[in-house]
Amino acid sequence: MRPKKTRPKIQSYMSPELHKRVRTYAAAQGASESALVQAALAEYLDRDQKDNVLIMRRTDRLTGASLRHERDLAVSSEAFAVFVQLWLGYTPELADSDRDSATRSALRRYQKFVDHVAAKLAAGSRLASDVFREEPAPTARDAADAASGDDKEAA
């Protein structure tokens, strides 16, 4: 004769109001109170695990975005450093008599520069994209997230 497998028994306390709700719901569903509590507890524990997976996916996305921002900042910083080195190397010292004229010319040229940068940004052009020629290839996790529809949150 085979020994009978028994399920462990857990006794817990609940408020009378909650017990009344459990009893009423179980009766309406045609299920036992034990089955209802077991299903609710399993769903609760599974939800926590699913939430952790979702949090990890979002954390991975944020980490990737942070790495791209760090890369873009490094490109911008290096480009600025190169510009300053060249500017200092090719800009001669001015005589006092030429400073007013040079200041007016610099202001006009600066405004042209600002307008050009604004046009490039409005067109969606980015220095980092020009330097790297393409965005990083999507990862397998990105493809799985896109398939599951989880990428609807704001970036």
Side-chain angles (χ1 to χ4, degrees):
M1 179 176 204
R2 192 182 231 174
K4 192 179 199 184
K5 289 186 180 178
T6 60
R7 296 187 298 184
K9 182 177 183 177
I10 297 176
Q11 292 181 310
S12 62
Y13 297 97
M14 64 178 72
S15 68
E17 298 84 26
L18 182 59
H19 183 249
K20 182 179 178 184
R21 289 175 59 194
V22 167
R23 189 175 52 235
T24 303
Y25 187 80
Q29 296 296 314
S32 68
E33 291 176 25
S34 179
L36 178 67
V37 170
Q38 181 176 335
L41 186 57
E43 184 176 326
Y44 177 80
L45 294 173
D46 288 346
R47 185 186 72 218
D48 283 350
Q49 188 176 20
K50 290 176 187 175
D51 287 348
N52 288 340
V53 170
L54 182 59
I55 289 169
M56 290 306 295
R57 283 183 187 163
R58 289 178 182 168
T59 301
D60 286 348
R61 272 194 222 123
L62 290 173
T63 300
S66 177
L67 291 173
R68 286 188 298 278
H69 292 158
E70 185 178 328
R71 177 202 67 190
D72 292 354
L73 181 61
V75 169
S76 297
S77 297
E78 191 61 29
F80 181 70
V82 169
F83 169 78
V84 169
Q85 285 177 333
L86 291 173
W87 180 68
L88 292 173
Y90 288 99
T91 304
E93 289 286 325
L94 294 176
D96 289 337
S97 60
D98 295 334
R99 286 187 194 253
D100 288 339
S101 174
T103 300
R104 286 190 303 275
S105 175
L107 289 173
R108 281 193 311 274
R109 291 169 50 206
Y110 177 74
Q111 188 57 51
K112 286 181 182 179
F113 168 75
V114 168
D115 293 343
H116 180 73
V117 169
K120 293 280 279 181
L121 289 173
S125 180
R126 300 286 189 269
L127 176 62
S129 297
D130 292 344
V131 169
F132 292 108
R133 298 286 181 226
E134 66 183 10
E135 288 298 314
T139 64
R141 173 166 276 162
D142 292 339
D145 290 345
S148 69
D150 285 341
D151 55 347
K152 293 179 183 172
E153 76 257 1

